[in-house]
């Protein structure tokens, strides 16, 4: 299994090396590539909650907002006080703090998930996401409705893809173990799982906290990439976008979800030439893809069970 | 007499106005094969659900190894040595046969989240051990060849067997089987009877089964308890139960009942 760790290191090295040459890229393309990295983190972390553990969360944009605003505020306050050489340290700290606070929010949402399932849980998480958005909209310290401006541009291709690699490693390593099979067991049959000595509550909360942590990291990267945060960017449509990536990629299929995240980030950009018809074509393509491959884009063989 | 493994003391459960199980007392000795029978709706599965912690008794006590299990969650009871199968098979359908057993073994695993994330040599060794034990267990029940099949794709009989293997993987002291013979043909039933006896002897555990099939129950159980409308009406050896007038009445009705005039 040390092979998995080798992949992680290879991924990070590759991301950093490519990042060194990122000045060669067209700014527009570079922006989209970083978007892809962020979306991979979002989709893979949501896949732990919705795919592997079988919960239905519509609150991922909420966790992202918690992480994004926290990280942005920290670097806005701290970076003018410290020498520029410490910049990566500040950024790392801001990201971790954002992820940590999002994880705390995940714990808060995980608690009702002990009692609710399916549609009911989806509605609670949807409500949570909206609460976060409304709270932010009314907080003057983070710019309220007019948004938070002037966030330093710390996010590079290297940061985005290194952290995407960490997320993928974390989620797959977690699920591909005797311990982690419990997530899938809870998703398959909660009653049977608990009669096999598995505590479904612990697993669900673990999934929510882990998923929210990485969503918070993604939010921090997003904030330092766009350099501007507005509450409207974290409405429930953003959550739906991430859910679509997970469903299209195939619930619980990490490879599929990564590819779906890439595809669904590129698609709206490729469709720019159709201007006003863009979103119509985008929606139609999603409907067609769903009808053609309801089991997920890359799900051919489910023999091995669990994560790919 | 040694301390009973499981002791039900006037265990009662009410759902609103309905008393599903009433003052049910029963002792199960270690390494005993005991049957629980009764007509449909007599409360057999409800009794199982009380023993496994799915339902909490409204009145009365249940003790496992002399310790009360009131308020103990099902997953903790499994830790204390109760495992079960379900009337309608509840395997982890999307997991492989091997993973179904591995999942059930995790309560005895010392390595958890941190080891899974770090993936050191120690983790690899422990995971290999788990896999080896799971395969040994599957091989005993001739399921080893199907290790990579998805559980839900197995034929019915294999699914039933896998459910028993999965329950055994938690290393129980008491194994509860809820209608293991349901939907089986006579040959399969015969195999099942051998299997249950084999499990009891090989693993030295107590087995309690709810079953409708009288050939199976009478054929293997050392002791039988009979429930009717949530009340225990008889308990004893199969020979004793077969002759008990109350049991015969519960299953076939009494002569007097039929002759009773209907009030106009």
């Amino acid at each position: 299994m040390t092979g998995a760790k080798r992949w992680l290191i290879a991924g990070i090295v590759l991301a950093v090396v490519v990042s060194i040459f990122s000045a060669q890229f067209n700014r527009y393309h570079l922006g989209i590539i970083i978007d892809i990295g962020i979306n991979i983190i979002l989709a893979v972390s949501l896949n732990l909650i919705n795919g592997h553990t079988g919960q239905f969360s519509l609150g991922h944009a909420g966790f992202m907002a918690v992480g994004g605003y926290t990280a942005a505020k920290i670097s806005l306050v701290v970076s003018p006080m410290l020498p520029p050489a410490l910049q990566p340290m500040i950024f790392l700290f801001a990201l971790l703090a954002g992820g940590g606070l999002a994880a705390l929010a995940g714990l808060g949402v995980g608690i009702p998930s002990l009692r609710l399932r399916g549609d009911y849980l989806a509605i609670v998480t949807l409500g949570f996401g909206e609460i976060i958005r409304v709270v932010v909209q009314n907080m003057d310290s983070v710019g309220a409705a007019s948004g938070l401006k002037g966030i330093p541009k710390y996010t590079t291709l290297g940061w985005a893809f290194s952290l995407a690699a960490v997320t993928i490693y974390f989620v797959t390593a977690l699920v591909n173990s005797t311990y982690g099979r419990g997530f899938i067991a809870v998703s398959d049959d909660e009653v049977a799982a608990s009669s096999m000595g598995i505590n479904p509550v612990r697993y669900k909360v673990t999934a929510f906290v882990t998923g929210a942590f990485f969503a918070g990291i993604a939010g921090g990267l997003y904030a330092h990439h766009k350099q501007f945060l507005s509450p409207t960017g974290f409405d429930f449509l953003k959550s739906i976008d991430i859910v679509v990536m997970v469903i299209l990629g195939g619930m619980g299929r990490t490879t599929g979800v990564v590819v779906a995240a890439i595809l669904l980030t590129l698609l709206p950009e490729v469709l720019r030439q159709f201007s006003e018809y863009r979103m119509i074509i985008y929606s139609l393509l999603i409907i067609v893809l769903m009808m053609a491959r309801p089991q997920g884009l890359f799900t051919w063989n489910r023999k091995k069970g669990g994560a790919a | 007499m040694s301390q009973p493994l499981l002791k039900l003391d006037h265990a009662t459960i009410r759902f609103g106005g309905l008393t599903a199980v009433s003052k049910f007392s029963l002792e199960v000795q270690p390494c005993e094969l005991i049957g629980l029978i009764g007509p449909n709706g007599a409360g057999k599965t409800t009794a199982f659900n009380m023993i496994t912690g799915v339902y909490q008794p409204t009145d009365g006590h249940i003790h496992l190894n002399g310790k009360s299990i009131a308020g103990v969650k099902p997953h903790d009871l499994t830790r204390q040595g109760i495992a079960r199968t379900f009337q309608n098979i509840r395997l982890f359908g999307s997991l492989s046969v091997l993973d179904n057993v591995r999942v059930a073994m995790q309560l005895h695993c010392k390595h958890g989240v941190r080891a899974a994330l770090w993936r050191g040599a120690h983790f690899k060794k422990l995971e290999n051990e788990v896999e080896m034990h799971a395969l040994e267990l599957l091989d005993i029940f001739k399921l080893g060849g199907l290790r990579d099949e998805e559980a839900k794709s197995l034929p019915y009989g294999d699914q039933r067997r896998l459910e028993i293997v999965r329950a055994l993987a938690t290393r129980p002291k008491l194994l509860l089987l809820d209608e293991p013979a349901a939907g089986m043909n006579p040959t399969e039933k015969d195999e099942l009877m051998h299997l249950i006896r084999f499990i009891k002897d090989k693993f030295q555990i107590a087995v309690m089964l709810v079953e409708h099939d009288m050939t199976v129950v009478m054929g293997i159980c050392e002791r039988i308890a009979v429930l009717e409308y949530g009340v225990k009406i008889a308990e004893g050896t199969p020979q004793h139960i077969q002759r008990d007038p109350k049991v015969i009445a519960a299953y076939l009705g009494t002569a007097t009942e039929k002759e009773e005039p209907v009030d106009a």
Side-chain angles (χ1 to χ4, degrees):
Chain A
M1 291 287 179
T2 39
K5 248 192 280 184
R6 238 173 273 147
W7 276 109
L8 170 67
I9 292 161
I12 294 174
V13 169
L14 185 70
V16 173
V17 169
V18 175
S19 188
I20 294 169
F21 299 104
S22 62
Q24 316 283 328
F25 296 126
N26 164 331
R27 269 181 63 99
Y28 165 70
H29 290 158
L30 183 64
I32 294 170
I33 293 171
I34 293 176
D35 280 341
I36 288 176
I38 294 172
N39 281 336
I40 288 176
I41 301 177
L42 288 169
V44 170
S45 59
L46 183 68
N47 190 32
L48 178 63
I49 304 173
N50 285 25
H52 298 300
T53 322
Q55 305 302 296
F56 199 159
S57 169
L58 277 173
H60 227 51
F63 298 131
M64 190 187 169
V66 172
Y69 273 97
T70 310
K73 194 68 196 170
I74 289 174
S75 50
L76 274 174
V77 173
V78 176
S79 62
M81 298 190 288
L82 293 167
L86 285 175
Q87 196 205 73
M89 303 298 285
I90 301 169
F91 189 35
L92 186 64
F93 171 74
L95 288 177
L96 289 176
L101 213 62
L104 212 62
L107 188 67
V109 183
I111 305 287
S113 83
L114 322 180
R115 301 175 151 272
L116 303 172
R117 53 193 74 184
D119 327 356
Y120 303 99
L121 177 66
I123 291 166
V124 168
T125 53
L126 180 79
F128 158 79
E130 287 300 288
I131 290 170
I132 297 286
R133 195 177 58 81
V134 172
V135 167
V136 167
Q137 206 155 40
N138 290 291
M139 264 171 80
D140 288 326
S141 56
V142 292
S146 58
L148 194 58
K149 293 183 257 315
I151 305 163
K153 189 159 182 71
Y154 288 161
T155 304
T156 62
L157 192 150
W159 277 103
F161 279 86
S162 301
L163 289 168
V166 170
T167 312
I168 294 171
Y169 172 82
F170 198 99
V171 172
T172 35
L174 198 61
V175 174
N176 286 320
S177 66
T178 300
Y179 167 84
R181 285 294 186 248
F183 288 106
I184 304 163
V186 168
S187 148
D188 275 355
D189 191 325
E190 234 182 285
V191 177
S194 66
S195 78
M196 291 302 121
I198 289 166
N199 184 348
V201 169
R202 279 237 341 242
Y203 272 93
K204 284 197 239 173
V205 172
T206 307
F208 261 101
V209 170
T210 313
F213 175 78
F214 285 107
I217 299 264
L221 287 168
Y222 178 84
H224 295 83
H225 172 48
K226 302 285 178 196
Q227 298 181 269
F228 171 73
L229 287 182
S230 128
T232 47
F234 299 107
D235 58 2
F236 83 102
L237 285 174
K238 178 72 194 170
S239 294
I240 303 253
D241 280 346
I242 312 168
V243 170
V244 170
M245 288 172 194
V246 172
I247 295 175
L248 192 64
M251 303 278 246
R253 311 265 121 188
T254 309
T255 322
V257 168
V258 170
V259 176
I262 298 171
L263 201 70
L264 291 186
T265 320
L266 289 176
L267 202 55
E269 303 301 329
V270 174
L271 294 174
R272 265 186 205 283
Q273 46 183 314
F274 300 105
S275 54
E276 61 260 46
Y277 299 111
R278 182 164 78 121
M279 286 331 274
I280 299 176
I281 299 173
Y282 175 76
S283 315
L284 276 174
L285 276 174
I286 287 180
I287 293 172
V288 169
L289 282 173
M290 286 286 179
M291 287 171 72
R293 297 208 65 82
Q295 70 278 52
L297 273 181
F298 298 92
T299 314
W300 286 289
N301 182 356
R302 302 205 60 169
K303 234 180 178 176
K304 284 278 173 192
Chain B
M1 203 164 166
S2 63
Q3 188 191 36
L5 178 65
L6 180 80
K7 185 177 173 198
L8 281 85
D9 181 15
H10 291 84
T12 302
I13 185 160
R14 287 185 209 97
F15 298 110
L18 175 82
T19 307
V21 175
S22 175
K23 295 182 183 151
F24 184 27
S25 297
L26 184 73
E27 286 186 2
V28 180
Q29 302 300 328
C31 210
E32 187 183 23
L33 223 167
I34 187 165
L36 185 59
I37 62 171
N40 280 330
K44 306 180 296 287
T45 299
T46 310
F48 259 35
N49 282 336
M50 278 198 293
I51 298 170
T52 52
V54 177
Y55 297 146
Q56 290 296 324
T58 330
D59 272 314
H61 307 280
I62 302 176
H63 292 267
L64 181 70
N65 276 321
K67 269 195 302 186
S68 168
I69 63 163
V72 180
K73 292 263 169 6
H75 57 89
D76 287 324
L77 274 177
T78 313
R79 249 162 235 281
Q80 293 179 24
I82 296 184
R84 72 175 292 182
T85 66
F86 296 88
Q87 197 172 338
N88 41 345
I89 302 171
R90 304 185 84 143
L91 286 168
F92 305 125
S94 67
L95 287 178
S96 69
V97 168
L98 179 67
D99 278 343
N100 264 276
V101 181
R102 269 174 64 191
V103 159
M105 291 181 129
Q106 70 148 291
L107 78 157
H108 298 292
C109 288
K110 281 171 207 82
H111 60 300
V113 192
R114 256 174 297 160
L117 289 175
W118 182 247
R119 316 232 131 199
H122 186 56
F123 168 79
K124 208 177 164 185
K125 195 179 128 245
L126 288 172
E127 289 283 275
N128 281 339
E129 275 172 24
V130 170
E131 192 175 318
M132 234 174 56
H133 284 309
L135 273 176
E136 269 170 30
L137 207 53
L138 282 171
D139 281 336
I140 294 175
F141 296 92
K142 300 183 185 71
L143 287 165
L146 301 167
R147 52 177 287 180
D148 291 329
E149 296 293 323
E150 222 178 29
K152 65 171 170 237
S153 70
L154 293 188
Y156 183 80
D158 287 347
Q159 289 199 13
R160 281 253 172 239
R161 252 185 312 152
L162 177 57
E163 228 198 356
I164 296 175
V165 178
R166 189 181 63 171
L168 285 172
T170 65
R171 294 188 216 154
K173 296 185 197 90
L174 171 66
L175 176 64
L176 303 170
L177 302 173
D178 200 348
E179 296 203 23
M184 285 189 169
N185 64 36
T187 333
E188 287 171 326
K189 277 178 197 166
D190 237 36
E191 283 170 13
L192 179 76
M193 285 161 68
H194 277 113
L195 187 75
I196 295 174
R197 265 199 223 108
F198 167 78
I199 289 169
K200 190 203 122 184
D201 295 337
K202 161 121 183 149
F203 297 92
Q204 290 291 309
I205 57 176
V207 180
M208 183 172 177
L209 70 155
V210 158
E211 188 48 73
H212 273 298
D213 192 281
M214 287 304 146
T215 344
V216 173
V217 179
M218 297 299 167
I220 56 172
C221 291
E222 292 151 9
R223 206 150 56 88
I224 294 171
V226 189
L227 280 178
E228 191 195 14
Y229 297 117
V231 181
K232 186 173 82 175
I233 55 169
E235 186 186 332
T237 60
Q239 294 76 21
H240 172 84
I241 294 294
Q242 275 168 339
R243 282 194 304 268
D244 193 300
K246 272 192 191 161
V247 178
I248 295 165
Y251 271 92
L252 301 174
T254 51
T256 48
E257 242 173 57
K258 281 180 199 150
E259 282 163 18
E260 248 172 36
V262 180
D263 285 344

